[in-house]
Amino acid sequence: MLKIKPTNINYNEAVISIRDLYKSFGHNHVLRGINLDVYKGENVVVLGRSGTGKSVLIKIIVGLLKPGKGSVNVLGMEVDKLNGAELRELRLKIGFSFQHSALYDSMTVRENLEFPLVRHRKSLTRSEVNNAIDEVLDAVGLLQTKKQMPSELSGGQRKRIGIARTLILQPQIMLYDEPTAGLDPISSIEINNLINEVQEQYHTSSIIITHDLTCAKATGDRVAMLLDGKFIRQGTFDEVFGTDDERIRIFFDYNFIK
Amino acid sequence: MDSINRPPEKHVISKGLDAFFLNIYRSANFVFRFFKEVFRPPFEFTEITRQCFEVGYKSLALISMTGFITGLVFTKQSRPSLSDFGATSWLPSLVSIAIIRALAPLVTALICAGKVGSNIAAELGSMKVTEQIDALEVSAINPFKYLVASRVLATTIMLPILMMYSAFVAMMGSFLDVHTNEQTSMTTFFENAFSSITFLDIFTSVAKAIIFGFTIGMVGCYQGYHTTHGTQGVGKAANASVVISMFFIFIEEVLIVQVATWLRTP
Ligand SMILES: Nc1ncnc2c1ncn2[C@@H]1O[C@H](COP(=O)(O)OP(=O)(O)OP(=O)(O)O)[C@@H](O)[C@H]1O
Ligand SMILES: [Mg+2]
């Protein structure tokens, strides 16, 4: 069931490098000293309870939110120091899959996928665009939904289309916000496999945010545990959970009810 | 949990006033950003055209009906006071002045504020709360340009056109009434009507419509783009966009009329 993970990770090249990152909303101090490196070709899973600031963290990486303090370096660029054009340039290399899919309601599934593609790859011919759309739809197993509107899809289907939409531009970095939340176990495993295939095929580096330990175990080369605005533990899945730390044990115990 | 022990929020003046000044600052920024982005390529021609069509399509039926009825009713109501002086032949010129100078721009603007402005606010508002605007942003598409600039341009372009159309329909309504009562021919009616209208009248009305259109688009987009508090906020944004743009339309109307009167008196 769980696939053997590929191991061609380049530990000399960090694609994302975060140092002493702080972020507050008013008096709500969400992130308090985050340090994280993501290496080329690596899948890093970020675990943490609801409201600990996981979504905030990846939104800062992609420049949707400004960091309060500290530095966020993505593909060699300081995200908060970029101007509009540079930021757009960087974002083309990052795929961001939203927690609630964020599909464009007014467009069909096909148009959702076509939209970023035709805007950014102007040289593509009609048939190349069609092929690219079919390819990613096939990868998420939803070829038959091409003509449907997002409102006609189930939550899990929307999520997969959301991932397909980010994959279509073949990003170097993928940021998945809870890719398996709300999916049935079989679809979850399919998504996990998809995440691993993407890593293998396109040599992408990813941050995968999740509550789902099966997903963490299946996709993560490394797991980082977020608590009270800091990573309290990082390492392989077994390293992180091979501990007596009550705060981490509780997470594990509730996920795999004995 | 620190969420429970949060210290009370501090305000510069008071909560309401702070929010008020923040809103003014943000609106000014929003308008400024529009002018900065709208003249900078690449231009969203397809999107602008689509939005122009939307604006026209959404309001055409209502404007036709309201315009026609306004012209007809206004003529009917004005007749008694004119016929007291045996001056019903003045009806076409009286009505046309009223329509061109005041009624057509105002009726068109109010209808569009209700129909188009609220729709823009609701559409952008729901895109905002479902993170579709963020999704545009992360796929390296400038959401301000794609969503806001195109819509504001569309309302600014379409309002003068709709205003002319509603003026025409209102004149037809008026003609119907004048024709049935005084048996005036169409040629005579329109000759009379246009004899009293000056270039300044038409110019002022077009200018008004352009300003109203810009206001409706801007207010709708601003409200939608700054929607918070989930789906509940979407309804509020739509509602606020109608109230606020109507408020601005009336203020602008008064100001423009003042300026026009001042230009008219040598
Ligand atoms: N734009 C914002 N403005 C104000 N506060 C925010 C904003 N975004 C997030 N927060 C706050 O930051 C905290 C962390 O939010 P975040 O969405 O990152 O949680 P999360 O770890 O992703 O949780 P979940 O697993 O439920 O998605 C929350 O307390 C939230 O209220
Ligand atoms: Mg989240």
Side-chain angles (χ1 to χ4, degrees):
Chain A
M1 281 247 301
L2 298 178
K3 292 181 37 165
I4 307 294
K5 296 279 303 173
T7 48
N8 48 1
I9 300 167
N10 183 354
Y11 283 104
N12 295 317
E13 189 186 345
V15 290
I16 299 176
S17 175
I18 300 173
R19 290 289 169 276
D20 288 318
L21 174 65
Y22 286 76
K23 176 73 184 173
S24 308
F25 296 100
H27 294 282
N28 183 9
H29 304 291
V30 180
L31 303 179
R32 306 176 222 172
I34 294 276
N35 287 292
L36 181 71
D37 284 307
V38 178
Y39 296 100
K40 179 122 187 73
E42 187 188 30
N43 279 354
V44 172
V45 167
V46 172
L47 285 172
R49 291 184 57 185
S50 196
T52 45
K54 305 183 298 295
S55 298
V56 168
L57 174 66
I58 57 168
K59 281 182 183 168
I60 291 176
I61 293 174
V62 78
L64 278 178
L65 292 172
K66 288 234 160 292
K69 214 167 69 184
S71 90
V72 179
N73 193 300
V74 180
L75 296 171
M77 284 176 271
E78 286 294 313
V79 175
D80 62 318
K81 300 206 170 59
L82 300 179
N83 65 32
E86 291 167 332
L87 190 57
R88 276 195 282 282
E89 191 69 26
L90 177 64
R91 281 170 172 168
L92 279 179
K93 299 176 185 149
I94 306 177
F96 190 109
S97 133
F98 282 83
Q99 189 167 355
H100 304 289
S101 318
L103 299 182
Y104 305 125
D105 285 335
S106 56
M107 302 182 190
T108 63
V109 166
R110 203 204 121 82
E111 287 163 345
N112 261 282
L113 300 172
E114 190 182 23
F115 183 64
L117 195 62
V118 296
R119 290 185 75 98
H120 294 305
R121 306 268 189 277
K122 295 215 168 64
S123 58
L124 290 184
T125 64
R126 200 73 236 136
S127 65
E128 283 171 324
V129 169
N130 288 335
N131 288 343
I133 292 173
D134 286 350
E135 191 189 320
V136 287
L137 273 180
D138 193 35
V140 297
L142 286 174
L143 259 177
Q144 76 283 5
T145 61
K146 227 193 302 189
K147 293 199 179 67
Q148 278 169 284
M149 298 300 284
S151 56
E152 297 163 348
L153 301 179
S154 76
Q157 289 175 319
R158 292 168 65 97
K159 194 139 238 172
R160 279 142 75 186
I161 298 297
I163 294 177
R165 187 178 64 183
T166 55
L167 288 179
I168 203 161
L169 289 174
Q170 303 192 351
Q172 298 176 25
I173 298 175
M174 278 295 298
L175 305 172
Y176 301 93
D177 200 344
E178 309 204 4
T180 59
L183 296 191
D184 65 277
I186 297 171
S187 304
S188 296
I189 290 170
E190 280 169 11
I191 291 287
N192 296 345
N193 291 341
L194 175 67
I195 292 174
N196 286 335
E197 271 164 37
V198 169
Q199 178 192 24
E200 236 169 303
Q201 254 188 34
Y202 303 112
H203 210 56
T204 47
S205 323
S206 313
I207 293 182
I208 301 136
I209 287 177
T210 188
H211 302 284
D212 172 5
L213 293 194
T214 320
C215 169
K217 194 165 177 147
T219 61
D221 300 304
R222 189 151 50 93
V223 173
M225 186 80 182
L226 186 64
L227 189 85
D228 292 334
K230 282 199 187 91
F231 285 123
I232 55 166
R233 213 172 158 84
Q234 289 190 31
T236 63
F237 187 87
D238 295 328
E239 280 165 13
V240 167
F241 287 100
T243 169
D244 294 330
D245 190 330
E246 197 51 35
R247 301 170 299 177
I248 293 174
R249 291 291 336 155
I250 197 166
F251 211 93
F252 189 81
D253 294 345
Y254 277 100
N255 251 275
F256 298 111
I257 296 164
K258 295 151 289 182
Chain B
M1 294 292 290
D2 41 25
S3 56
I4 297 167
N5 298 325
R6 252 180 242 171
E9 289 180 48
K10 289 200 183 67
H11 304 291
V12 184
I13 310 169
S14 74
K15 193 175 174 185
L17 274 179
D18 275 17
F20 178 73
F21 285 115
L22 185 70
N23 247 326
I24 290 184
Y25 171 77
R26 284 204 305 198
S27 331
N29 245 341
F30 202 72
V31 175
F32 178 72
R33 189 165 169 202
F34 170 78
F35 286 108
K36 206 175 80 181
E37 306 230 10
V38 78
F39 298 113
R40 192 193 291 165
F43 303 107
E44 303 278 355
F45 285 120
T46 1
E47 189 58 17
I48 294 169
T49 322
R50 203 172 69 84
Q51 290 304 328
C52 283
F53 176 76
E54 284 275 303
V55 172
Y57 176 77
K58 286 229 173 64
S59 48
L60 202 63
L62 203 54
I63 285 181
S64 308
M65 211 168 68
T66 324
F68 192 81
I69 291 173
T70 309
L72 188 102
V73 170
F74 189 77
T75 313
K76 264 194 198 312
Q77 305 278 26
S78 313
R79 179 171 291 106
S81 29
L82 282 185
S83 66
D84 286 350
F85 305 101
T88 43
S89 60
W90 286 2
L91 261 177
S93 50
L94 172 81
V95 171
S96 66
I97 288 181
I99 288 174
I100 299 284
R101 282 195 193 165
L103 294 175
L106 208 54
V107 164
T108 314
L110 293 182
I111 286 177
C112 284
K115 257 321 262 193
V116 178
S118 63
N119 193 69
I120 290 177
E123 195 184 3
L124 293 200
S126 62
M127 288 189 76
K128 165 85 184 189
V129 300
T130 56
E131 296 184 309
Q132 292 175 54
I133 293 184
D134 285 344
L136 282 173
E137 188 117 18
V138 295
S139 43
I141 293 160
N142 182 342
F144 193 93
K145 196 159 195 156
Y146 181 73
L147 298 173
V148 176
S150 63
R151 279 171 175 75
V152 175
L153 270 182
T155 52
T156 314
I157 295 168
M158 288 308 285
L159 251 264
I161 297 174
L162 287 170
M163 184 276 289
M164 302 272 213
Y165 169 76
S166 88
F168 171 74
V169 177
M171 300 283 262
M172 292 312 285
S174 170
F175 169 70
L176 181 73
D177 189 67
V178 172
H179 182 71
T180 32
N181 286 284
E182 279 87 27
Q183 283 79 42
T184 316
S185 76
M186 192 178 261
T187 342
T188 322
F189 176 84
F190 278 102
E191 263 172 12
N192 275 340
F194 281 112
S195 63
S196 44
I197 293 173
T198 62
F199 174 73
L200 184 67
D201 290 331
I202 294 178
F203 177 81
T204 318
S205 287
V206 170
K208 256 195 227 178
I210 289 175
I211 293 171
F212 292 164
F214 179 77
T215 307
I216 292 167
M218 267 294 165
V219 172
C221 286
Y222 178 83
Q223 291 297 328
Y225 212 75
H226 293 99
T227 302
T228 49
H229 305 304
T231 38
Q232 197 194 1
V234 177
K236 277 198 187 134
N239 191 9
S241 86
V242 177
V243 176
I244 296 171
S245 48
M246 283 190 179
F247 174 74
F248 278 125
I249 286 168
F250 287 126
I251 292 185
E252 285 161 3
E253 166 81 25
V254 172
L255 291 179
I256 297 167
V257 168
Q258 278 301 323
V259 174
T261 323
W262 179 65
L263 284 177
R264 220 171 259 136
T265 47

Coordinates of all heavy atoms in Angstrom, one line a residue, chain A residues 25-26 28 30 48-57 59 65 99-100 177-178 209 211 226, chain B residues 6, ligand 1:
Chain A
F25 N -1.4 38.6 14.2 CA -2.5 39.3 13.8 C -3.0 40.1 15.0 O -3.6 39.5 15.9 CB -3.6 38.4 13.2 CG -3.2 37.7 12.0 CD1 -2.8 36.4 12.1 CD2 -3.2 38.3 10.8 CE1 -2.5 35.7 10.9 CE2 -2.9 37.6 9.6 CZ -2.5 36.3 9.7
G26 N -2.8 41.4 15.1 CA -3.1 42.1 16.3 C -2.4 41.5 17.5 O -1.1 41.4 17.5
N28 N -2.8 38.4 18.4 CA -2.8 36.9 18.2 C -1.5 36.6 17.5 O -1.2 36.7 16.3 CB -4.0 36.6 17.3 CG -4.1 35.1 17.0 OD1 -3.4 34.3 17.7 ND2 -5.0 34.7 16.1
V30 N 0.7 34.3 16.0 CA 0.5 32.9 15.4 C 1.8 32.2 15.2 O 2.0 31.1 15.7 CB -0.2 33.1 14.1 CG1 -0.4 31.7 13.4 CG2 -1.6 33.8 14.3
G48 N 0.2 19.8 12.6 CA -0.2 20.7 13.7 C -1.7 20.8 13.9 O -2.4 20.5 12.9
R49 N -2.1 21.1 15.1 CA -3.5 21.2 15.3 C -4.1 22.4 14.6 O -3.5 23.3 14.1 CB -3.8 21.2 16.8 CG -3.4 19.9 17.5 CD -3.8 20.0 18.9 NE -5.2 20.3 19.1 CZ -5.7 20.5 20.3 NH1 -5.0 20.4 21.4 NH2 -7.0 20.7 20.5
S50 N -5.5 22.4 14.5 CA -6.2 23.4 13.9 C -5.9 24.8 14.5 O -5.8 24.9 15.7 CB -7.7 23.1 14.0 OG -8.4 23.9 13.1
G51 N -5.6 25.8 13.7 CA -5.4 27.1 14.2 C -4.0 27.4 14.7 O -3.7 28.4 15.3
T52 N -3.1 26.5 14.4 CA -1.7 26.7 14.8 C -0.9 27.6 13.8 O 0.2 27.9 14.1 CB -0.9 25.4 15.0 OG1 -1.2 24.6 13.9 CG2 -1.3 24.7 16.3
G53 N -1.5 27.9 12.7 CA -0.9 28.8 11.7 C -0.2 28.1 10.6 O 0.7 28.6 9.9
K54 N -0.7 26.9 10.2 CA -0.1 26.2 9.1 C -0.4 26.8 7.8 O 0.5 27.1 6.9 CB -0.6 24.7 9.1 CG -0.4 24.0 10.4 CD -0.9 22.5 10.3 CE -2.4 22.3 10.0 NZ -3.2 22.8 11.1
S55 N -1.7 27.2 7.6 CA -2.1 27.9 6.4 C -1.3 29.3 6.3 O -0.9 29.7 5.2 CB -3.6 28.1 6.3 OG -4.2 26.9 6.3
V56 N -1.2 29.9 7.4 CA -0.6 31.2 7.5 C 0.9 31.1 7.0 O 1.4 31.9 6.2 CB -0.6 31.8 8.9 CG1 0.3 33.0 9.0 CG2 -2.0 32.2 9.2
L57 N 1.5 30.0 7.4 CA 2.9 29.8 7.0 C 3.1 29.7 5.5 O 3.9 30.3 4.9 CB 3.5 28.5 7.7 CG 4.8 28.0 7.3 CD1 5.9 29.1 7.7 CD2 5.2 26.7 7.9
K59 N 1.0 30.7 3.2 CA 0.6 31.9 2.6 C 1.7 32.9 2.6 O 1.9 33.7 1.7 CB -0.7 32.5 3.2 CG -1.9 31.7 2.8 CD -3.2 32.3 3.4 CE -4.4 31.5 2.9 NZ -5.6 31.8 3.7
L65 N 0.6 36.7 2.4 CA 0.6 37.4 3.7 C 2.1 37.9 3.9 O 3.0 37.3 3.4 CB 0.2 36.5 4.9 CG -1.2 36.1 4.9 CD1 -1.4 35.1 6.0 CD2 -2.1 37.3 5.2
Q99 N -6.7 25.1 0.8 CA -7.5 24.2 1.7 C -8.9 23.9 1.2 O -9.4 22.8 1.3 CB -7.4 24.8 3.1 CG -8.0 23.9 4.2 CD -7.6 24.5 5.6 OE1 -7.0 25.5 5.7 NE2 -8.1 23.8 6.6
H100 N -9.6 25.0 0.8 CA -10.9 24.8 0.3 C -11.0 24.9 -1.2 O -12.0 25.5 -1.7 CB -11.8 25.8 1.0 CG -11.8 25.8 2.5 ND1 -12.3 24.7 3.2 CD2 -11.2 26.5 3.4 CE1 -12.1 24.8 4.5 NE2 -11.4 26.0 4.6
D177 N -2.3 22.5 0.9 CA -2.9 22.8 2.2 C -4.0 21.7 2.4 O -5.1 21.8 1.8 CB -3.5 24.2 2.2 CG -3.8 24.7 3.6 OD1 -3.8 23.9 4.5 OD2 -4.0 25.9 3.7
E178 N -3.7 20.8 3.3 CA -4.6 19.7 3.6 C -5.2 19.0 2.4 O -6.4 19.1 2.2 CB -5.7 20.2 4.6 CG -5.1 21.0 5.7 CD -6.0 21.0 6.9 OE1 -7.0 20.4 6.9 OE2 -5.6 21.7 7.9
I209 N 0.7 20.2 4.1 CA 0.1 20.5 5.4 C -1.0 19.4 5.6 O -1.8 19.2 4.7 CB -0.5 21.9 5.4 CG1 0.6 22.9 5.5 CG2 -1.5 22.0 6.6 CD1 0.2 24.3 5.4
H211 N -3.5 16.9 8.7 CA -3.7 16.4 10.0 C -3.6 14.9 10.0 O -3.7 14.2 11.0 CB -5.2 16.6 10.5 CG -5.6 18.1 10.6 ND1 -5.1 18.9 11.5 CD2 -6.3 18.8 9.7 CE1 -5.7 20.1 11.3 NE2 -6.4 20.0 10.3
L226 N 4.3 21.4 14.2 CA 4.1 22.8 14.6 C 3.3 22.9 15.9 O 2.2 22.3 15.9 CB 3.4 23.6 13.5 CG 3.2 25.1 13.6 CD1 4.6 25.8 13.6 CD2 2.4 25.6 12.4
Chain B
R6 N -6.3 37.5 25.7 CA -5.8 38.6 24.9 C -6.1 39.9 25.5 O -7.2 40.1 26.0 CB -6.6 38.5 23.5 CG -5.7 38.1 22.4 CD -6.5 38.1 21.1 NE -6.5 36.8 20.6 CZ -7.3 36.4 19.6 NH1 -8.1 37.3 19.0 NH2 -7.3 35.2 19.1
Ligands
LIG1 N1 -6.0 37.0 7.5 C1 -6.1 36.8 8.8 N2 -6.4 37.8 9.6 C2 -6.5 37.6 11.0 N3 -6.2 36.5 11.6 C3 -5.8 35.4 10.8 C4 -5.8 35.5 9.4 N4 -5.4 34.4 8.9 C5 -5.3 33.5 9.9 N5 -5.5 34.2 11.1 C6 -5.4 33.6 12.4 O1 -4.2 32.8 12.4 C7 -4.4 31.6 13.2 C8 -3.9 30.5 12.4 O2 -4.7 30.3 11.2 P1 -4.4 29.2 10.1 O3 -5.5 29.3 9.1 O4 -3.0 29.3 9.7 O5 -4.7 27.9 10.9 P2 -4.4 26.4 10.4 O6 -3.2 25.9 11.2 O7 -4.3 26.4 8.9 O8 -5.7 25.6 10.9 P3 -6.6 24.6 10.1 O9 -5.9 23.3 10.3 O10 -7.9 24.6 10.8 O11 -6.6 25.0 8.7 C9 -5.9 31.6 13.5 O12 -6.0 31.9 14.9 C10 -6.5 32.6 12.7 O13 -7.6 33.3 13.4

